Amino acid sequence: QITFGSIFLGKAPVHEEVHRCAGQIYGYKGCIRDFQVNHKELFIIDDALEGRNVENCNVPICDYRPCHNGGTCISDEENWYCECPKLYTGKLCQFATCDENPCGNGATCFPKSRRDVVCLCPYGRSGILCSDAINITQPSFSGTDVFGYTSFLAYSTIPNITFYYEFRLKFQLANYHSALQDNLIFFTGQKGQGLNGDDFLELGLRNGRVVYSYNLGSGTATIISKPLDLTLNVHVIHLGRNLQKGWLKVDDQKNKTITSPGRLVGLNVFSQFYLGGYREYTPELLPKGPRFKNGFQGCIFDVQVRTSLNQGFKSPGTPEGHPNSGRSVGQCKDSPCSLIKCRNGGKCIETGSTVYCECLTGWKGAFCTETVSVCEPEHDPPHLCQQGSTCVPLPNGYTCHCPLGTTGTYCEQG
């Protein structure tokens, strides 16, 4: 047996007598992630008494070139982000931006065409321009919309979740076959790095079954339920974890248990608690694990958590039950389209609290009340005036005004 007065990571302080006895000593160069002594997990930075020349281990996300549409990836010691060109926005510069944003109350503006926009409403708002306040007691999620966004709620980080937690929740599926296929229910963890050792906690649906996964830093543990009984209108989930041992109970199915691999026993997560989806839903940047491809489709309610057997269950959030943010989340069983009348054959589309009119060919505007001019890019078929010329509408068709040096019906001749 050897008794240590102190334990040093990387390199011990150098003394003159050490040099005489052992020659030059070289310190460790690299990253040390998890540290255990006698099965006790130590927090490398918080538990250290002193140190020198130690910095945060930088994961080179920019090496993977995640930015789209000409965006520039920029990283520092801890974070990374995409610097987007003028016409694009989003975590990865994957979305075209709106030149003039008519959306209110912090809504996300998305161009439906070159002239019309859709306003993706923040939590507590609805309507064409997100100007209507709504009271949400049972959130309704719409999955991933046609613009690539998910509806979601984000709550403050759940405290004291490291060694023990229990969650209870109920959900009701939307009447879609896709609602059962590959859909996230909730997530918290170190997103955005995609390493095997990332700590995370995740719950979702895949192929009609509930999938519960967690990683304490030394490997992923996953429990998969039996297929859901689709004759039930409301489904109930009760899950938990105590150190390495996790368990899951769905509806009236038998309780299933699992023990996570490795020796680590603590869940170290610092992100917000996401319900139904993500602010920027990019599965490729999630920790390796289930990686659910879509957000939830349906209603999730009565979400409660406790982090000790000696305390009662309570809703997430600070103050309790209040999310920090959200997008396109409606009230269960309410239809925003009941308040919207699209004209000229337009169809009302709703995704959570977000609502807009999908117009027939030849019509545009928020309620499909404006005609599309024969000279506009949205017109079907498009005009044939060559680039650099000017299309001028006529009572029966159009004509092309040619720039100097060109002629012809469509200014196609030099």
Side-chain angles (χ1 to χ4, degrees):
Q1 291 184 350
I2 301 176
T3 302
F4 290 93
S6 299
I7 297 177
F8 299 97
L9 277 183
K11 183 177 182 180
V14 178
H15 299 289
E16 186 178 348
E17 57 269 28
V18 174
H19 278 296
R20 288 199 301 265
C21 295
Q24 181 64 45
I25 296 177
Y26 295 94
Y28 175 72
K29 292 182 179 181
C31 301
I32 298 176
R33 188 172 180 86
D34 299 302
F35 185 38
Q36 274 192 332
V37 177
N38 294 336
H39 303 298
K40 179 183 179 182
E41 186 173 0
L42 299 181
F43 296 93
I44 293 177
I45 300 300
D46 295 344
D47 292 343
L49 300 179
E50 60 178 316
R52 184 172 65 234
N53 297 331
V54 177
E55 60 185 18
N56 203 28
C57 190
N58 184 30
V59 179
I61 289 294
C62 288
D63 290 354
Y64 297 98
R65 299 181 180 179
C67 307
H68 298 185
N69 297 306
T72 302
C73 185
I74 298 175
S75 63
D76 56 23
E77 289 80 5
E78 296 186 5
N79 301 302
W80 67 275
Y81 65 94
C82 292
E83 195 173 71
C84 301
K86 184 178 180 181
L87 296 179
Y88 295 92
T89 186
K91 177 77 173 177
L92 305 178
C93 306
Q94 71 270 49
F95 301 123
T97 190
C98 300
D99 293 330
E100 297 178 4
N101 185 359
C103 306
N105 299 296
T108 301
C109 180
F110 195 93
K112 185 171 65 170
S113 67
R114 294 190 184 185
R115 302 213 174 180
D116 291 336
V117 305
V118 173
C119 300
L120 308 181
C121 296
Y123 176 74
R125 291 284 172 174
S126 185
I128 290 287
L129 299 179
C130 305
S131 54
D132 303 327
I134 57 172
N135 182 37
I136 298 176
T137 56
Q138 293 186 347
S140 172
F141 302 87
S142 55
T144 307
D145 62 27
V146 295
F147 310 109
Y149 287 91
T150 59
S151 56
F152 76 94
L153 291 177
Y155 296 86
S156 56
T157 303
I158 298 175
N160 306 317
I161 201 173
T162 305
F163 300 112
Y164 182 90
Y165 58 74
E166 279 186 78
F167 284 89
R168 297 192 305 203
L169 61 90
K170 299 175 183 177
F171 69 87
Q172 192 171 17
L173 292 169
N175 189 25
Y176 305 122
H177 176 68
S178 60
L180 285 165
Q181 298 309 306
D182 201 355
N183 306 82
L184 180 75
I185 297 176
F186 71 60
F187 175 87
T188 183
Q190 275 51 272
K191 62 188 178 67
Q193 296 184 6
L195 301 177
N196 272 320
D198 283 348
D199 287 26
F200 67 86
L201 165 62
E202 193 168 36
L203 182 70
L205 295 171
R206 180 168 287 126
N207 299 325
R209 302 168 185 259
V210 175
V211 180
Y212 162 41
S213 294
Y214 59 92
N215 190 336
L216 309 181
S218 54
T220 301
T222 300
I223 303 177
I224 302 176
S225 76
K226 293 181 178 180
L228 291 173
D229 181 356
L230 300 183
T231 63
L232 298 175
N233 186 39
V234 176
H235 300 277
V236 180
I237 295 179
H238 192 184
L239 63 86
R241 181 188 62 87
N242 183 22
L243 302 178
Q244 291 179 284
K245 189 169 185 178
W247 52 270
L248 169 70
K249 181 169 175 55
V250 177
D251 296 331
D252 58 354
Q253 298 180 17
K254 289 185 178 180
N255 190 57
K256 301 184 76 171
T257 62
I258 198 171
T259 300
S260 60
R263 294 182 175 181
L264 299 182
V265 296
L267 177 69
N268 302 310
V269 296
F270 315 106
S271 75
Q272 297 185 98
F273 178 75
Y274 291 89
L275 191 67
Y278 263 17
R279 184 182 305 278
E280 301 281 4
Y281 200 85
T282 311
E284 292 79 13
L285 298 180
L286 297 183
K288 290 183 179 177
R291 284 186 178 173
F292 296 98
K293 293 180 180 178
N294 301 298
F296 187 78
Q297 299 176 44
C299 302
I300 304 175
F301 45 95
D302 295 348
V303 180
Q304 295 184 312
V305 59
R306 68 176 178 180
T307 55
S308 170
L309 279 170
N310 300 322
Q311 65 179 212
F313 283 88
K314 64 178 185 179
S315 301
T318 306
E320 183 181 345
H322 290 264
N324 293 337
S325 61
R327 180 181 55 230
S328 298
V329 175
Q331 170 67 2
C332 194
K333 298 182 181 179
D334 283 357
S335 171
C337 279
S338 63
L339 305 175
I340 301 296
K341 186 167 181 62
C342 303
R343 307 291 181 176
N344 299 304
K347 180 182 179 182
C348 184
I349 305 295
E350 59 182 60
T351 59
S353 63
T354 293
V355 60
Y356 62 95
C357 291
E358 192 175 73
C359 304
L360 292 178
T361 300
W363 297 96
K364 65 178 183 177
F367 299 96
C368 306
T369 54
E370 305 170 43
T371 57
V372 177
S373 164
V374 68
C375 287
E376 292 185 66
E378 293 81 17
H379 190 271
D380 187 17
H383 68 80
L384 300 177
C385 297
Q386 296 297 299
Q387 188 173 3
S389 63
T390 303
C391 177
V392 179
L394 299 174
N396 296 307
Y398 64 95
T399 186
C400 301
H401 285 186
C402 303
L404 185 65
T406 64
T407 187
T409 304
Y410 306 115
C411 309
E412 73 279 12
Q413 300 175 18

